[in-house]
Amino acid sequence: MDIKSKRAVIFDMDGVLIDSEKFWKQAEYEVFSSLGVEVTEELSKHTQSMTTSEVARFWHEKYPWENAALDVIEQQVISRVIELIQTEECSVAGIKKFIEDLKLKQYKIGLATNSPYRIIQTVLDKIGVTHLFDHITSAEFKKQGKPHPAVYFTSAKNLDVDPQYCFVIEDSHSGIIAAKKMRE
């Protein structure tokens, strides 16, 4: 099978595989409020498409705190999100069957997310689909997260599928922009 006949579906994670936006908001509120940050709904909307390191920097620039390094705070947010994923119902209905059906149709399956790498396995285990993914990519290891397309280019390359033959399933504006840039 030559590369042009290969097809892949690359999934975003948060909002596509699991409904986790509420967990990110809760963890952000709990951790940053404990540092004296005035977390508001309006300002939280700005952080929705950011990586967790960008979120930590955002809040620190608005409300500088002392006695806690940015990376430590970032890890506290991630740990809280993992706790919530493990203990709360958050799977998107029908997603496991959908991925199984794609595998039966010979699609390669990828994951490209702005979320930190250490959350990914928790999510895949939660919905029971780890074995279905051919490759996972986190923007944590890229210079830029979505809307930059690097995470999608990496996923397509590692799946050994030309980006033109990759379908992307996204729920965010920044993710859609990244996916479109990958195909340009």
Side-chain angles (χ1 to χ4, degrees), residues 153-165:
F153 280 124
T154 298
S155 189
K157 180 181 178 200
N158 287 309
L159 290 168
D160 194 27
V161 177
D162 186 293
Q164 296 301 311
Y165 297 95

Side-chain angles (χ1 to χ4, degrees), residues 28 32 37 43 47 55-63 65:
E28 211 176 293
F32 294 115
V37 172
L43 288 175
T47 66
V55 170
R57 278 193 306 276
F58 173 86
W59 288 115
H60 188 262
E61 287 172 9
K62 292 244 179 252
Y63 300 95
W65 60 79

